[in-house]
Amino acid sequence: MRPLVAVLLAVLVPPTFVATALSFGHDPVAAAAEAPLIHREAGFVGSATCKQCHPDQHASWAGTFHSTMTQRPSERSVLGAFDGKVVAYGHDRARPFRDGERFLMEVPDGKGGQRSAEVVLTVGSRRYQQYFERQPRGADGDVIVRLPILWHQELQRWLPLETVFLGPDVDRMGHNAAEWNTNCIFCHNTGPRPGLLDAHDPSRLRDGYRFDSEVAELGIACEACHGPGAEHATAARSPLARYVGTPHHAFDPAQLDQERAVAICGQCHGARLPNPPKRATEWFTTGPTFRPGERLLDHVTPIVRETPVRGGGDPEAFALRFWGDGTARLTAYEYQGVVASKCYTKGELTCQSCHAMHSGDPRGQLRPDLPGDAMCTQCHQEIARDVQAHTHHAPDGAGSRCVACHMPKIVYGVMDIHRSHRIDVPDPARDGAAGRPHACTLCHVDRSLPWAAAAMRGWWGNEFKDPGPRFDGAPLELADAAANLFAGDAAARAVAAKALGEAGATFGDDHAAAVRAWLAVTLGDGYPTVRQLARRSLLALEGKVGWGLAERVRAVDHLAPAERRRDDVFALLDAIARAAPGRVERPSSTALLGVDFRLDFPGVIRLTDLQGKNLIAIGE
């Protein structure tokens, strides 16, 4: 009926009425953006415009952490305790406080004194929240800079930026004072336009960059995924156009081909460089050129382990973000993992195969219609018919979860360990050589790589070879988790510290005391993030089987001075040795414990000495 009605309208209705109908309602293109930092260029109209026709989708998006990624400071948006209490770290201190409706921080001024900085933006709302100030730079430009402490939601405390990345202890704040205009603006907002001023003036290298930055919307909103909405919104406002059939002018990832669908998430969840490199000036001036519906690789080159570092930077800056086999070990490289997976190259995998942007739990945004293994077995239906024949584990146990083996938790980010998005098959020989934690021994934390290789050969064939020398130089007969925890680089140590406390972690009675002792020693690690993960895992173990250690572990401050941390470590080791007799078996000969449940300090020191050739520091 609608085509007939449309024809009749076009023929019978006076032209003046048709013209009015075509422009019915508010014109989003002509609307001026009055709020600071907001533009309405290049066809962007903002999510409020989308809400008028898509209220349900707008509501589901508003409940996600994408929507609150970047916000202006307010009573509602600020999570941190701006209570005037001093946050001390090394030689420096900061003090978050309120002045009426303003949120401020007293921070080091770089000259031995303190200054006050006003918060103008917040970034993050789930795991932690960062705060930014505006620093004037010249008469008509400025720069928005990250302040030196952030608020951690789980710990409910302030943390210096230096203690949340994979870096060693330092004695000052301010090493991570990143510029929002050259960094966060690109992926934590919609329609970024950095607005670099005097882009071709050499003096900017001496005096600092200046910006007049704007975004279409603070946070990650509708147009980040569906493209600029001006044409779509204008067409949709015409009653006549709706009868005829509105041209979309907007992209639904579910309706795109595989490459273009994955590109929409990959524009942010895939660290990248402009392609060609000379396009960088355009990025910092008018913003990235990619738009949903296009081929991402026409605009960017994803960073991989072999990507060269230009401009005299650290030549290993990119390589350190990957395990030795090229698998990413930092968040924001999910795209690289997906496109390297056979499920993508040989199958039909897209981000929407597992994730839903408008339904499900905001934490992860996994598809609620495909719970558990169903996300994998929707394609691998033969395996689903007899899971145990494929996994050789109980079908309802942790060992039969697809992601545990094929997407193990080996990726560091925001002070936690996440699943790899490179879907592959565990390989003990490959993983040992690459310094990459092995999926089987992330669950069987008391087992070695040769044990894993033998088990895999027995179940799946001779393609699984015995590992050669480990990347970190640790003995092969040692439990892989212990080797990673003591001899590995900071990323390997962080992964192991988290794995030992996971709900699915298993170990024999002869390692029950050892696992606790390993974590207790790790509370003295030289990297604060590793210490915090070890503390969390000790508390998790106490939650499963209490040894009377919980109160002592909760009292441990992973940012306490080194002397206090050392006392905590020895006190915990002593408590474990006293609690173990009568509870568990005598330790295994490879457990790094004596028969009295006392730590084999010489053995542990030999392992930690191997870290000397594995020192790394990685930002995010």
Side-chain angles (χ1 to χ4, degrees), residues 53 60 75 93 149 187 234 239 333 348 407 417 420 423 439 469 480 499 603:
C53 295
S60 60
E75 198 75 43
R93 64 186 180 87
I149 59 174
C187 283
T234 300
Y333 289 79
E348 300 178 359
M407 298 179 68
I417 306 300
S420 172
I423 305 170
D480 188 36

Side-chain angles (χ1 to χ4, degrees), residues 191-215:
R193 193 193 66 80
L196 175 63
L197 302 174
D198 304 320
H200 301 288
D201 183 351
S203 68
R204 76 187 190 282
L205 302 176
R206 180 188 68 246
D207 302 330
Y209 291 95
R210 301 184 305 119
F211 295 89
D212 179 19
S213 297
E214 293 180 322
V215 298

Side-chain angles (χ1 to χ4, degrees), residues 100-134:
E101 295 185 356
R102 298 194 304 158
F103 296 83
L104 300 103
M105 279 190 197
E106 190 178 89
V107 298
D109 65 2
K111 302 174 184 178
Q114 298 288 110
R115 66 179 181 85
S116 289
E118 181 176 358
V119 174
V120 298
L121 287 178
T122 73
V123 172
S125 60
R126 179 183 174 186
R127 293 182 175 89
Y128 56 58
Q129 188 172 69
Q130 303 176 56
Y131 302 94
F132 291 75
E133 67 164 331
R134 185 187 304 278

Side-chain angles (χ1 to χ4, degrees), residues 460-494:
W460 297 301
N462 292 330
E463 64 181 284
F464 296 102
K465 308 300 182 185
D466 281 327
R470 294 178 59 97
F471 174 86
D472 51 32
L476 276 172
E477 66 272 14
L478 190 64
D480 188 36
N484 288 327
L485 194 64
F486 297 133
D489 63 26
R493 301 202 305 277

Side-chain angles (χ1 to χ4, degrees), residues 286-522:
T286 57
T289 54
F290 170 81
R291 295 290 181 268
E294 299 176 344
R295 294 183 68 252
L296 183 62
L297 298 185
D298 289 341
H299 300 265
V300 307
T301 300
I303 293 171
V304 295
R305 193 171 191 273
E306 297 75 23
T307 298
V309 177
R310 305 178 186 277
D314 179 0
E316 291 191 301
F318 293 145
L320 291 177
R321 296 164 182 261
F322 300 84
W323 301 107
D325 67 341
T327 300
R329 58 180 179 178
L330 280 187
T331 50
Y333 289 79
E334 291 82 8
Y335 173 84
Q336 283 88 329
V338 167
V339 299
S341 305
K342 285 187 177 179
C343 293
Y344 177 86
T345 60
K346 305 291 185 182
E348 300 178 359
L349 176 73
T350 69
C351 306
Q352 289 75 38
S353 299
C354 302
H355 294 281
M357 296 298 100
H358 291 286
S359 61
D361 190 332
R363 294 167 297 179
Q365 297 188 255
L366 297 175
R367 286 178 56 175
D369 61 318
L370 294 173
D373 293 334
M375 285 183 285
C376 300
T377 57
Q378 62 176 311
C379 295
H380 300 278
Q381 295 176 9
E382 183 176 345
I383 291 174
R385 283 191 281 272
D386 190 350
V387 171
Q388 190 165 356
H390 174 71
T391 66
H392 299 275
H393 287 69
D396 57 349
S400 285
R401 301 289 70 76
C402 307
V403 292
C405 296
H406 302 292
M407 298 179 68
K409 291 185 177 181
I410 58 172
V411 175
Y412 178 83
V414 287
M415 285 187 72
D416 209 344
I417 306 300
H418 311 272
R419 295 206 177 279
S420 172
H421 276 63
R422 182 175 187 173
I423 305 170
D424 61 7
V425 176
D427 184 338
R430 175 203 66 198
D431 296 341
R436 167 182 164 174
H438 178 63
C440 300
T441 54
L442 286 174
C443 287
H444 299 277
V445 296
D446 58 343
R447 299 295 190 168
S448 67
L449 290 178
W451 169 88
M456 295 179 77
R457 269 198 308 276
W459 290 334
W460 297 301
N462 292 330
E463 64 181 284
F464 296 102
K465 308 300 182 185
D466 281 327
R470 294 178 59 97
F471 174 86
D472 51 32
L476 276 172
E477 66 272 14
L478 190 64
D480 188 36
N484 288 327
L485 194 64
F486 297 133
D489 63 26
R493 301 202 305 277
V495 170
K498 175 67 181 287
L500 290 171
E502 285 282 83
T506 64
F507 45 84
D509 207 36
D510 59 350
H511 273 74
V515 167
R516 287 171 167 80
W518 298 346
L519 288 168
V521 171
T522 306

